[in-house]
Amino acid sequence: MAVFVRKRGTKMVKAEHVNPFILSVCKVVKDVCKMDLKIGKPGVKKEEYPDDASIIELGIVGGLSGKVILNMEHPAALEIISKMMMQPVNTIDEIGQSAISELGNMIAGNAATVFASNNIPVSYTHLRAHETLRHL
């Protein structure tokens, strides 16, 4: 799963603003799906998604403002949905999309808690889950 942060304005995106999302993704996926994710080397790269990617988009306001995009390739999304539903899933239907949305809610809540503990209040303007990028 990849985490992308779109900033608003001209300020640089800081590690302390990205790390709560990375840590929250790892924690929630481990707690809910019993899967250990490996954190790769952070860096700046162009946003590119496979056509069959599952996307969770979070709009952020408050102490920070911008957008966070969580990107899962199709096989990873199927594995996560299967673990959440406790049965094999071969396609992403409405229930699968709902599972991905719920995963996004859990990640957003966990990240908000991390930000609050650092005296950075955040709220989410929206959370949208899409099966493909063309909906962004």
Side-chain angles (χ1 to χ4, degrees), residues 77-90:
L78 288 175
E79 184 177 3
I80 287 171
I81 294 166
S82 294
K83 299 266 187 178
M84 291 178 76
M85 297 180 68
M86 295 185 276
Q87 63 184 11
V89 172
N90 297 318

Side-chain angles (χ1 to χ4, degrees), residues 1-66:
M1 182 180 304
V3 177
F4 293 96
V5 178
R6 291 182 183 167
K7 63 181 177 171
R8 287 193 182 146
T10 59
K11 292 184 179 179
M12 293 282 296
V13 175
K14 298 178 182 178
E16 59 262 26
H17 299 156
V18 176
N19 288 342
F21 290 101
I22 294 170
L23 298 173
S24 294
V25 166
C26 292
K27 179 182 180 349
V28 169
V29 170
K30 182 174 182 136
D31 291 350
V32 173
C33 303
K34 309 298 184 235
M35 296 169 63
D36 287 317
L37 299 181
K38 183 170 57 170
I39 299 174
K41 183 178 180 185
V44 177
K45 67 183 233 181
K46 184 177 178 183
E47 285 182 59
E48 293 180 334
Y49 311 99
D51 289 338
D52 62 353
S54 286
I55 307 289
I56 300 169
E57 178 183 354
L58 303 167
I60 304 169
V61 295
L64 301 172
S65 65

